[in-house]
Amino acid sequence: MSFSNGMSEFFKELTSRNEQLDFENLQEITGGLTQEYISRIRTLLEQTGQKTNEAELREATSDLLALFAGKHDEELLARRIEFGIKLGNAEIPLEQLIKLYGSLFDRSWDEIASVFQISKKDLQSIKYGVKLLFIDFGLQLLGYEGKILNTMRLLSTIDVLTGLMSRREFEKKLQQAIEFAQNTKTEFSLYYVDVDNLRLINDVYGYVVGDVVLKNMADYLQEELNDPFAVARIGDDEFGVILMDTGPAEALAKAQVLCKKIAEKEINPLGYDGIFVASNIGVASYPHNGQALDDLILAAEVACLTSKRKGRNRVQLINAVDDNINPTLVHERIIILREALSSKDCVVPFYQPIVDLETGEPMGYEVLARVKRGENFLSAGLFVDAAEKSGLMQEIGKRVIEQAIKEKNSSWAKDKLFFINFSMREVESQDTVGFLADQFNRYEINPEEIVAEITERETVRDINAVHTFAKKLTEIGVRLAVDDFGSGFSSFLYLRYFDCYFAKIEGSLVRDITRSGRSRMIVENMAKLLQRLSIEVVAEYVENREIAEILHRTGIRYGQGYYLGKPSRFPGNGD
């Protein structure tokens, strides 16, 4: 810890004065003082319900004596400040500390007077003068502390950047709205608004411009919405809105208009460079989607997450009968996931074949996570929202990957490729590639038999992170595949920057080739482009013979779907 020049000079002056004093009788003076200090501090801590650590108390007392003896090095001073922070965290009132040090001052001067033969009259004069200064200093400290507390209280209710209310204050408003709606038998709606491209704006233009965008967004929400009960910044790039007397249908319609207007709004923080904001809005309503504060916030947040899965500038009204986004079921599924992860064999890989359309033989398998519940294995897709909400996604991924790598040595998996899908959290993690390399070494697996799938629509969230991840994977020998190719506008950007071995064409396009000439033309031309780039093409969602035959005639070599093979624990009843 560093101190200002003025403070450092003050300590030096104290030290020089102490060198002129006679401290031979220091122990005589401080013996009783030490015991009183420990006793008083212990009492103050116990009064606030804090456990006392005798070792800490002895260290604090030792530091006080060292300070009294004239040692003023920065480490000692820093420890005294840390001890002060501990007392503050224990919520010991400042006036109690002032009273404590007043008592210690009295005691120390009584000890000094007995050793140095100071007359009683002189002692009283010294005590009176110094105590007045001490009391005045204490009063100023109380005033200073009050100002700090007021500032902290203000900051806890207001977001400094946007001027909107803070999340804590927003939750108070939401609780008020719930109680009002309960008493009046009315309804209201909650928006969870996410600025979807803020990270990109920060990366391209810098955080100063990003802050300007957030401020503009805050101002726009207040201007555009008609008399909202509350508008708040509730996350780094997230806003909350409460609309009273507004049911689900009306809230959805208003949110769709708002989302469209946000997308059209141009922000000019640089004066000449226009920036457009992409947003997603999740909508939940009381009492339809929850009657408790946490349930309503979760419902709106999950609805927002669902809208993001569909693309930018989307609105999602939470559907109380939809198992994937119902907040109560999300909570239940978090519990199921935790129980499954606590057991060795309840989160396991299943394998769906990727088939050579010419020979009908599998050339590899996509690794899919399954959660065992009783005698059944449930698709991990049912638990995606719960896994992301609870932060369990990476743990599930690691469990499944390790088991799959281990089973790569099974007879049915020999010489077959394993396609493993990586979420954006795993892509951004610094540990993922190292974890894979450790598993390859542990189970003696050839990395070239592993294909890492990265979802194309996820790439635009952080293309730098994906590029770093892809580079590290290729360095250890893993092949790359782009999943859901054609699902977004970043497809060609992906081809430009990434050295892919496979591309899996987005399933909805494949599924429609028997009904839509346009979809068929898109798939055919995608395949031609990819083949000219020496990228192997895999068609997903091959659900019937007709689709398989069209794909084969188009020149697409590989397919995946229920017609070609369903996911199973051990394909072909292998070992």
Side-chain angles (χ1 to χ4, degrees):
M1 179 176 292
S2 59
F3 297 92
S4 66
N5 291 333
M7 185 65 78
S8 296
E9 289 299 322
F10 176 66
F11 291 140
K12 286 179 183 177
E13 184 182 352
L14 282 176
T15 305
S16 65
R17 287 181 182 177
N18 285 339
E19 288 171 351
Q20 300 167 21
L21 297 175
D22 179 11
F23 280 98
E24 290 181 4
N25 297 310
L26 178 63
Q27 289 186 349
E28 270 187 75
I29 296 170
T30 58
L33 193 63
T34 299
Q35 292 305 315
E36 183 168 350
Y37 180 74
I38 290 176
S39 175
R40 291 292 191 94
I41 291 293
R42 185 190 292 115
T43 301
L44 288 176
L45 288 170
E46 289 173 351
Q47 285 174 349
T48 58
Q50 301 292 318
K51 291 183 178 179
T52 56
N53 185 318
E54 294 300 322
E56 278 188 8
L57 284 180
R58 284 194 296 271
E59 183 184 35
T61 305
S62 176
D63 286 341
L64 177 64
L65 292 176
L67 195 67
F68 195 75
K71 295 179 182 178
H72 303 118
D73 60 275
E74 289 197 0
E75 288 186 10
L76 171 64
L77 299 172
R79 286 199 302 273
R80 293 304 295 164
I81 290 172
E82 287 297 321
F83 189 66
I85 292 172
K86 176 181 172 62
L87 297 178
N89 291 337
E91 297 184 354
I92 293 175
L94 183 58
E95 56 265 30
Q96 291 287 349
L97 288 178
I98 294 170
K99 189 176 179 181
L100 165 64
Y101 276 88
S103 174
L104 292 176
F105 171 77
D106 259 349
R107 178 68 178 266
S108 63
W109 270 101
D110 285 340
E111 298 284 352
I112 290 170
S114 65
V115 173
F116 290 103
Q117 305 296 318
I118 299 175
S119 69
K120 188 174 182 180
K121 183 178 180 182
D122 289 342
L123 178 61
Q124 292 299 326
S125 298
I126 292 170
K127 280 187 175 183
Y128 179 75
V130 176
K131 268 194 169 183
L132 283 177
L133 290 174
F134 196 80
I135 290 169
D136 184 62
F137 180 61
L139 292 172
Q140 290 184 55
L141 275 180
L142 286 170
Y144 185 71
E145 183 193 50
K147 182 176 178 62
I148 292 173
L149 287 174
N150 286 334
T151 302
M152 290 176 66
R153 197 174 293 116
L154 179 65
L155 293 178
S156 71
T157 61
I158 294 177
D159 175 65
V160 178
L161 175 63
T162 62
L164 298 177
M165 67 179 66
S166 65
R167 179 168 184 134
R168 180 184 295 181
E169 193 68 13
F170 181 76
E171 289 178 355
K172 289 181 182 177
K173 287 285 189 180
L174 180 56
Q175 187 59 45
Q176 291 173 14
I178 291 170
E179 291 170 2
F180 178 80
Q182 285 173 341
N183 294 332
T184 58
K185 307 298 182 187
T186 55
E187 56 188 356
F188 69 87
S189 292
L190 171 67
Y191 289 171
Y192 195 100
V193 184
D194 179 84
V195 182
D196 195 44
N197 61 335
L198 181 66
R199 187 169 189 171
L200 179 62
I201 291 169
N202 285 334
D203 289 344
V204 174
Y205 298 100
Y207 286 93
V208 173
V209 172
D211 288 349
V212 172
V213 169
L214 285 172
K215 183 68 173 71
N216 273 265
M217 185 74 170
D219 293 342
Y220 188 71
L221 287 174
Q222 289 180 298
E223 293 168 5
E224 191 63 32
L225 293 167
N226 184 23
D227 193 26
F229 180 67
V231 180
R233 184 184 176 199
I234 57 176
D236 289 341
D237 53 2
E238 296 145 346
F239 297 87
V241 178
I242 301 172
L243 299 178
M244 301 302 293
D245 298 315
T246 307
E250 183 183 356
L252 177 63
K254 288 182 175 179
Q256 288 169 336
V257 172
L258 176 64
C259 191
K260 185 174 183 296
K261 288 185 175 181
I262 290 172
E264 294 171 349
K265 179 176 173 58
E266 183 177 4
I267 299 172
N268 299 91
L270 303 178
Y272 58 89
D273 231 356
I275 294 175
F276 290 90
V277 175
S279 69
N280 290 84
I281 303 177
V283 183
S285 297
Y286 174 93
H288 314 279
N289 309 125
Q291 299 182 33
L293 184 146
D294 289 341
D295 285 346
L296 283 170
I297 292 178
L298 175 61
E301 188 174 357
V302 172
C304 184
L305 181 65
T306 305
S307 74
K308 291 178 74 171
R309 292 185 185 283
K310 297 179 180 180
R312 289 178 171 175
N313 299 317
R314 303 291 184 97
V315 175
Q316 176 72 47
L317 171 66
I318 189 122
N319 183 354
V321 300
D322 187 340
D323 286 355
N324 286 320
I325 55 179
N326 182 283
T328 303
L329 288 174
V330 169
H331 280 304
E332 289 178 358
R333 284 172 179 171
I334 289 174
I335 294 171
I336 291 171
L337 282 178
R338 293 193 189 280
E339 289 177 353
L341 286 168
S342 67
S343 177
K344 184 179 179 181
D345 301 317
C346 288
V347 177
V348 296
F350 268 48
Y351 304 92
Q352 184 171 27
I354 297 172
V355 174
D356 187 321
L357 297 176
E358 179 69 33
T359 65
E361 295 296 318
M363 63 77 138
Y365 298 92
E366 180 172 358
V367 178
L368 303 167
R370 290 291 184 268
V371 177
K372 189 174 183 180
R373 188 72 171 165
E375 296 301 314
N376 299 316
F377 286 94
L378 307 176
S379 169
L382 295 171
F383 297 90
V384 168
D385 291 318
E388 290 187 349
K389 186 69 188 167
S390 60
L392 296 173
M393 185 67 81
Q394 283 181 267
E395 189 176 350
I396 292 169
K398 283 187 174 182
R399 180 77 62 88
V400 171
I401 289 170
E402 181 175 1
Q403 187 67 23
I405 298 297
K406 180 180 179 181
E407 292 170 357
K408 184 69 179 68
N409 287 317
S410 304
S411 59
W412 57 267
K414 289 287 186 182
D415 302 321
K416 306 296 184 186
L417 300 178
F418 271 16
F419 287 70
I420 301 174
N421 209 306
F422 290 90
S423 69
M424 200 62 196
R425 286 180 184 269
E426 291 168 315
V427 169
E428 291 172 336
S429 172
Q430 300 293 319
D431 302 329
T432 304
V433 177
F435 170 76
L436 275 177
D438 289 342
Q439 300 308 310
F440 297 156
N441 293 330
R442 181 179 180 184
Y443 297 108
E444 299 180 345
I445 299 298
N446 180 3
E448 292 186 354
E449 294 184 351
I450 304 299
V451 181
E453 293 187 26
I454 304 171
T455 304
E456 182 266 340
R457 62 172 169 265
E458 294 275 24
T459 307
V460 296
R461 286 174 51 186
D462 191 343
I463 197 160
N464 289 328
V466 177
H467 187 270
T468 300
F469 180 70
K471 186 173 182 294
K472 289 180 179 178
L473 285 176
T474 54
E475 286 173 354
I476 65 172
V478 175
R479 305 186 197 191
L480 296 178
V482 54
D483 193 18
D484 292 339
F485 185 80
S487 63
F489 293 108
S490 61
S491 300
F492 298 103
L493 185 69
Y494 201 108
L495 296 181
R496 179 180 176 185
Y497 287 108
F498 296 91
D499 186 14
C500 301
Y501 198 93
F502 293 94
K504 301 179 78 172
I505 296 180
E506 209 273 322
S508 63
L509 291 171
V510 175
R511 187 170 49 197
D512 287 345
I513 62 175
T514 59
R515 300 189 296 269
S516 168
R518 179 169 292 185
S519 292
R520 183 169 177 173
M521 188 180 299
I522 291 170
V523 170
E524 288 175 350
N525 283 283
M526 275 185 179
K528 288 177 183 177
L529 171 65
L530 293 167
Q531 288 160 356
R532 290 188 66 183
L533 292 170
S534 299
I535 297 173
E536 294 282 6
V537 182
V538 179
E540 298 183 295
Y541 283 45
V542 182
E543 296 177 345
N544 56 54
R545 181 176 178 178
E546 186 181 2
I547 292 175
E549 289 176 347
I550 292 173
L551 293 170
H552 185 225
R553 289 196 300 269
T554 302
I556 294 176
R557 185 174 178 182
Y558 302 112
Q560 178 183 354
Y562 272 36
Y563 172 71
L564 300 172
K566 295 181 180 180
S568 62
R569 183 68 186 94
F570 298 109
N573 294 318
D575 60 358

